[in-house]
Amino acid sequence: MPPLSDSLRINEVMAANEGAWIDERGETSDYVELVNRGEATLDLSDFYLEDAAGVRARLAGPRLGPGERRLFWADD
């Protein structure tokens, strides 16, 4: 297991998206925005998001460079 990172932060959570962000399908799902506050690039596949029921989803996508942000849609 990789060491925990103090660089990856939840920057924003949208729990009732009514059009603030619209995805590529025109849907307005809830989302979580993550930001890399560190100086090194992070491999997002080393991290998970977990809901209140304990269901975990491994993050995917390209690596996240210093200062970069990424939205993860909280739909299926």
Side-chain angles (χ1 to χ4, degrees):
M1 179 174 205
L4 295 177
S5 172
D6 59 354
S7 299
L8 188 63
R9 302 274 192 221
I10 295 174
N11 191 57
E12 183 176 0
V13 175
M14 177 64 72
N17 185 5
E18 295 182 11
W21 280 94
I22 300 171
D23 70 13
E24 63 278 355
R25 291 186 234 143
E27 298 173 347
T28 57
S29 301
D30 300 342
Y31 65 84
V32 175
E33 180 187 55
L34 300 179
V35 62
N36 179 355
R37 299 247 185 231
E39 296 180 12
T41 298
L42 298 174
D43 182 352
L44 293 178
S45 67
D46 291 338
F47 298 92
Y48 294 84
L49 288 175
E50 184 174 327
D51 66 14
V55 177
R56 294 174 57 175
R58 182 182 295 271
L59 299 181
R63 297 165 59 94
L64 193 63
E68 289 185 335
R69 301 165 190 270
R70 182 104 9 91
L71 284 182
F72 290 90
W73 297 102
D75 54 10
D76 298 327

